[in-house]
Amino acid sequence: MKWLFFLAFVVLIGNAFSFAPEKKLDNPVDEKRAQKIFQSLRCTVCEGQSLAESDASLAYGIRGAIRDKVREGVSDKQIMAYLTERYGIEILQNPPLQKSTLVLWLMPIVLLLLGLGFALKAQKTS
Amino acid sequence: MSAARLNFMPLLAFLIIALMLVSINFAGKPKRGGGWQEISREVSDFSLPLLIGKGEFKSLELKGRVTILSIFASWCLPCAAEHEFLMKIASDKRLEGKAIQLIGINWRDKENDALAYLEKRGNPYSKTAIDKKGGIAVMLGIAGVPETFLIDKNGRAVAKFSGNINSQIAEEFITRALKLDANQ
């Protein structure tokens, strides 16, 4: 049984090193900027995770592409434009207010107002 | 407020919340999932090491030829499922003598695994490049593997297919590539 656990451990460790390790930028200022960009983006293939924390293969690829752009001196705005062109505004943690996201932004307010209205009416009737 | 109207409130609240959740799910999402997607994206300059042989694959090699660009990995099961159809594209007589190439990009993989994968299943690609970090595939806008791109003679990606291709999709790639070759 011990051998079985050892074998499983070896296989799992082997898998952990299957891919190229994520190389951080040499310049700590650049790496910090890259990390900030990761935090402002979502993982598009794993619901509810930021790009910074995702282990998905695509997330590794996108982080690598962002680091390359940061190293080349591309601005944050240009990097965001580059990514939204390819992955849509879905990749942004805070999508801008526009036609396609109008319902998303307004619905909580409408819901709150409706709730307040209902509560007031219910209070009056009681 | 009547009791009947008050009873209706939970249903109304449910519908509003459901609408909100549906909106969140679809807000700003590009067309995703399996299937064709028409795109128009200039492929930026890049060079990647070759998996087989020495040297590099340069994006310049995309110019002057129609390219079917397949992004795959040895660890990807749908890639294995589509491989036989890539082999069919590679051996299709209609493509002989045409300025059409089938290029592979091996994505975030181990070289030995990728080589063993092609050795076992056959190599449909005229050239296979290694995208170890995955950045070139991101530049193309992939959402996962496998994805197959159709690139015109000017080096512009005009369409992509997400997911594993089958016999019908392989035929569509051949038809579209021939059409692009004839028109450019």
Side-chain angles (χ1 to χ4, degrees):
Chain A
M1 195 66 178
K2 273 181 186 173
W3 279 105
L4 198 64
F5 278 116
F6 178 73
L7 193 68
F9 176 77
V10 168
V11 168
L12 288 172
I13 288 292
N15 279 337
F17 292 100
S18 293
F19 303 114
E22 200 163 355
K23 195 176 180 302
K24 293 189 175 176
L25 292 167
D26 294 335
N27 183 335
V29 178
D30 282 351
E31 179 60 28
K32 201 174 170 185
R33 181 156 86 89
Q35 290 290 341
K36 205 174 161 191
I37 296 170
F38 301 162
Q39 292 291 347
S40 68
L41 296 168
R42 288 168 60 189
C43 168
T44 53
V45 291
C46 33
E47 299 292 337
Q49 275 190 312
S50 79
L51 186 73
E53 64 200 9
S54 173
D55 283 327
S57 220
L58 181 63
Y60 277 94
I62 295 176
R63 287 197 294 263
I66 291 171
R67 282 195 173 101
D68 286 346
K69 298 254 170 229
V70 168
R71 194 190 297 113
E72 290 162 15
V74 178
S75 72
D76 289 13
K77 203 176 165 185
Q78 284 171 314
I79 293 172
M80 294 300 183
Y82 176 86
L83 291 169
T84 49
E85 189 203 331
R86 284 156 179 80
Y87 296 101
I89 57 167
E90 183 206 355
I91 198 169
L92 304 176
Q93 290 278 24
N94 294 309
L97 181 60
Q98 60 185 53
K99 209 173 160 187
S100 62
T101 58
L102 200 62
V103 180
L104 175 68
W105 281 96
L106 294 183
M107 198 52 79
I109 301 164
V110 173
L111 205 61
L112 185 70
L113 291 175
L114 275 174
L116 277 173
F118 292 147
L120 285 173
K121 276 200 171 186
Q123 200 177 29
K124 271 185 188 176
T125 48
S126 66
Chain B
M1 191 178 285
S2 69
R5 281 180 71 184
L6 271 174
N7 285 341
F8 182 65
M9 293 305 173
L11 178 65
L12 189 66
F14 169 78
L15 287 174
I16 290 169
I17 291 168
L19 180 63
M20 190 173 76
L21 291 174
V22 168
S23 307
I24 289 167
N25 193 39
F26 287 106
K29 270 192 178 180
K31 275 184 184 174
R32 184 71 55 77
W36 281 103
Q37 192 182 333
E38 303 304 317
I39 50 176
S40 178
R41 184 167 300 142
E42 190 76 41
V43 178
S44 315
D45 288 346
F46 71 86
S47 62
L48 289 172
L50 289 173
L51 177 68
I52 299 160
K54 286 181 180 174
E56 290 184 321
F57 177 79
K58 293 191 168 84
S59 54
L60 268 177
E61 295 174 56
L62 298 173
K63 301 271 170 78
R65 271 176 278 189
V66 175
T67 305
I68 298 170
L69 185 80
S70 157
I71 300 178
F72 74 99
S74 67
W75 45 263
C76 149
L77 290 176
C79 299
E82 75 167 7
H83 199 83
E84 62 171 302
F85 304 107
L86 291 167
M87 293 297 288
K88 277 186 183 168
I89 293 176
S91 60
D92 195 287
K93 299 277 180 215
R94 288 169 292 173
L95 302 182
E96 279 179 12
K98 306 282 182 191
I100 298 170
Q101 59 183 351
L102 177 57
I103 299 291
I105 289 188
N106 178 241
W107 192 63
R108 291 190 48 74
D109 208 347
K110 288 201 288 191
E111 279 181 49
N112 285 342
D113 289 353
L115 284 168
Y117 174 93
L118 290 179
E119 200 171 313
K120 184 180 171 188
R121 294 174 175 81
N123 183 1
Y125 310 116
S126 54
K127 282 188 177 175
T128 311
I130 307 167
D131 187 12
K132 212 171 185 75
K133 280 166 64 185
I136 299 304
V138 170
M139 177 270 288
L140 288 163
I142 70 153
V145 276
E147 269 191 21
T148 312
F149 288 80
L150 190 62
I151 300 171
D152 72 13
K153 288 181 179 175
N154 299 318
R156 176 172 285 275
V158 293
K160 72 168 181 173
F161 187 86
S162 304
N164 48 313
I165 64 172
N166 55 25
S167 179
Q168 186 198 326
I169 303 302
E171 181 59 32
E172 285 173 26
F173 264 106
I174 292 168
T175 312
R176 292 186 70 159
L178 285 168
K179 204 172 169 184
L180 271 178
D181 180 46
N183 291 343
Q184 283 190 306

